[in-house]
Amino acid sequence: MRAYEITAPVEVLTGASAARAKVALFDFDGTLSLIRAGWIDVMVPMMVEALANLHTGESEAELTAVVRDFVDRLTGKQTVYQMIELSRQIALRGGAPHDPIVYKKRYLDLLHARISNRLEELRQNPSSVEKYMVPGSLELLEALRLRGLTLYLASGTDQDYMRAEADLLGVTPFFNGGVFGALDDYKSFSKKMLIERIIAGAECSGSEILGFGDGYVEIENVKAVGGVAVGVASDELECLKVDVWKRDRLASVGADYIVPNYLSRAALFERLFAL
Ligand SMILES: [Mg+2]
């Protein structure tokens, strides 16, 4: 059990109201799930190594800055987009890149080696669920459903994996709108497309969408249609403090609120749903 005494405050950036929200759209990794926490420390070194092998004279620090920047900018999109950019960066440096799918497989093999023990722990011991979720997630989802919002879960992680992980964490039943992840045909699904589908289906207007995410892309997508966005900037795995680097990135793309977790749900709801 984690100690829950520390409840970091809600940072109010715009104070936008979500009192009319009908739909809540959630990202999965880093927003609810911590199963893949540390993925960036797998992806970035793998990519830096691929670029360093081209011997362009750039230092490791320079390559790390390049990689970190595009990985972050594309976080929230399907994983393959980060690999497409890696291929482009290799080509820019005169290299002959593999198909982006090859890099994606390499990354997932490395990541799965790192997280397989977490998945096993969750299968063996369902009470370990709390350890692998942003604190307060279940209570938040429950409270949003009680308010009558329709909940959607949309992830850039491959759908088969993320659905299995959502089941392991016990969050699937909250998502009465559906659970969506990346498909092999990566052009057939995106968070942006899901938002467009929700609006086109007349379920609600863009301004009636409330988004929760730790990635650039989902915050940008929700703001682009006039919705309200809560940026989750956690210092994973503990998730008790705001990670300043993530906070600044999410604020720069238009997040209306920043939280490190959902333990201050009462304070957040007061701001979000005040009329
Ligand atoms: Mg995420």
Side-chain angles (χ1 to χ4, degrees):
M1 289 284 284
R2 259 186 300 219
Y4 276 177
E5 291 81 32
I6 311 164
T7 53
V10 175
E11 184 185 2
V12 179
L13 294 174
T14 68
S17 170
R20 290 169 52 239
K22 291 184 181 158
V23 160
L25 178 67
F26 278 83
D27 165 59
F28 186 55
D29 293 297
T31 300
L32 296 171
S33 173
L34 301 175
I35 293 173
R36 292 170 180 254
W39 64 269
I40 204 161
D41 300 323
V42 175
M43 187 185 288
V44 170
M46 181 202 97
M47 291 181 163
V48 168
E49 193 190 331
L51 295 178
N53 286 340
L54 300 168
H55 305 292
T56 59
E58 291 161 289
S59 70
E60 193 176 320
E62 285 166 337
L63 291 173
T64 301
V66 168
V67 169
R68 182 82 208 225
D69 183 67
F70 75 73
V71 164
D72 185 62
R73 184 165 39 80
L74 297 168
T75 294
K77 275 184 111 126
Q78 299 95 303
T79 307
V80 74
Y81 284 98
Q82 287 154 324
M83 306 302 153
I84 290 170
E85 181 60 20
L86 171 64
S87 294
R88 199 180 74 86
Q89 293 288 339
I90 290 173
L92 274 176
R93 288 168 173 77
H98 297 294
D99 188 290
I101 299 295
V102 173
Y103 299 115
K104 181 178 162 187
K105 182 171 185 320
R106 188 186 294 172
Y107 160 66
L108 287 179
D109 287 347
L110 292 167
L111 181 64
H112 288 156
R114 184 161 165 156
I115 68 172
S116 62
N117 60 332
R118 298 177 183 172
L119 294 169
E120 197 49 36
E121 186 183 352
L122 283 165
R123 281 187 208 107
Q124 300 296 329
N125 178 15
S127 66
S128 60
V129 151
E130 210 172 81
K131 201 168 141 189
Y132 296 110
M133 262 199 282
V134 175
S137 290
L138 293 177
E139 294 81 358
L140 172 73
L141 296 173
E142 199 170 9
L144 290 169
R145 282 292 302 275
L146 278 172
R147 289 192 64 90
L149 276 79
T150 302
L151 269 54
Y152 286 84
L153 184 58
S155 173
T157 296
D158 289 355
Q159 185 161 276
D160 290 350
Y161 292 126
M162 62 82 60
R163 283 189 169 167
E165 289 165 27
D167 284 346
L168 275 174
L169 294 178
V171 299
T172 307
F174 290 105
F175 292 95
N176 51 339
V179 174
F180 304 92
L183 304 173
D184 284 344
D185 174 14
Y186 63 90
K187 288 183 179 150
S188 65
F189 171 77
S190 71
K191 290 173 184 173
K192 185 165 175 275
M193 285 163 70
L194 176 62
I195 290 171
E196 284 164 359
R197 209 190 302 160
I198 291 169
I199 294 170
E203 195 175 325
C204 69
S205 68
S207 64
E208 292 166 337
I209 295 177
L210 170 61
F212 288 83
D214 73 319
Y216 219 67
V217 171
E218 58 260 14
I219 300 295
E220 202 171 37
N221 290 165
V222 167
K223 293 311 296 174
V225 296
V228 176
V230 178
V232 185
S234 298
D235 64 327
E236 297 175 6
L237 274 162
E238 278 245 290
C239 298
L240 294 175
K241 292 196 306 278
V242 166
D243 178 307
V244 176
W245 193 81
K246 284 191 205 171
R247 180 247 168 242
D248 290 350
R249 301 287 293 194
L250 297 177
S252 77
V253 72
D256 297 292
Y257 299 88
I258 298 285
V259 294
N261 56 50
Y262 309 115
L263 296 177
S264 300
R265 190 184 71 252
L268 179 63
F269 273 32
E270 220 167 86
R271 297 306 301 243
L272 277 178
F273 299 121
L275 286 168

